[in-house]
Amino acid sequence: MKIQIINGPNLNLLGVREPGIYGSNSFESYLPKLKAKFPDIEIEYFQSNIEGELINKLQEIGFSYDGVVLNAGAYTHTSIALQDCIRSLKCPCVEVHISNVHKREEFRHHSYISCACLGVICGFGLASYELAISGILAQKETEG
C-alpha cells in the first residue's frame, strides 16, 4: 500500500512558524514517527508553496497510489483548481489541518476542497496525519 502526504504553502515552516498554533516540531522530524506507526505502508512526502506543483503531484500519483493525505494550507480556502483535481483522482484524498480551523479566522471556516475529499481531519496537531491514514485504511477495509 502506498500513501502520499502532500503539504501546501508555508508548511515547510512547521516548527518555526507560529508554534502556538502549529507546534514546535517540523514535519520532517515527525515523518519517521508516522512511518514507524504504519510499517506496512509506503508513505511518501511532498511539500510545495506553489499551487500548480501540488496539482502536478496529485495528478502524478492519484491514479496509482492507495490514498492521499492533503494539507493544502491556505489553498484550502481559495482553490477550485485543487478541488477539480481531487475530483479527477482514482484514490481517496483526506483533507488535513493541524489546527482547528473553525476556532480561527472566519475565512478559514470554508474549504473549497472538502466536498471532493473522503473526509476532513482538523485540530489534532501533527496527529491529524495519523488519523487521516487510519481513515484511508478503514475505507479500504470496507471496500473489501
Side-chain angles (χ1 to χ4, degrees):
M1 179 172 276
K2 292 172 82 171
I3 293 180
Q4 177 74 53
I5 296 172
I6 299 177
N7 276 345
N10 300 309
L11 291 163
N12 57 310
L13 298 177
L14 287 176
V16 177
R17 174 187 173 214
E18 300 178 274
I21 295 172
Y22 299 106
S24 56
N25 293 319
S26 69
F27 193 82
E28 289 76 10
S29 69
Y30 171 69
L31 188 57
K33 298 170 191 163
L34 183 63
K35 287 180 176 183
K37 290 183 180 193
F38 299 99
D40 297 331
I41 299 174
E42 185 178 332
I43 298 172
E44 296 188 13
Y45 175 60
F46 177 79
Q47 188 278 328
S48 178
N49 294 318
I50 302 169
E51 182 180 26
E53 289 183 4
L54 300 175
I55 291 168
N56 287 343
K57 184 55 128 176
L58 285 164
Q59 290 178 355
E60 174 190 323
I61 58 90
F63 300 92
S64 58
Y65 279 53
D66 297 290
V68 175
V69 175
L70 174 61
N71 185 339
Y75 290 134
T76 300
H77 318 293
T78 63
S79 183
I80 293 168
L82 275 174
Q83 179 194 122
D84 288 346
C85 180
I86 294 164
R87 286 187 190 281
S88 72
L89 305 179
K90 297 289 185 204
C91 69
C93 181
V94 175
E95 177 184 343
V96 165
H97 300 283
I98 294 166
S99 68
N100 181 346
V101 294
H102 302 287
K103 287 180 141 184
R104 299 186 60 199
E105 304 93 338
E106 183 71 27
F107 73 87
R108 295 186 195 274
H109 298 182
H110 182 264
S111 168
Y112 279 99
I113 64 173
S114 293
C115 61
C117 291
L118 172 65
V120 179
I121 308 284
C122 71
F124 294 96
L126 291 174
S128 296
Y129 293 88
E130 178 184 346
L131 295 169
I133 292 172
S134 294
I136 291 169
L137 294 175
Q139 190 257 352
K140 292 287 183 188
E141 286 176 12
T142 61
E143 287 181 350

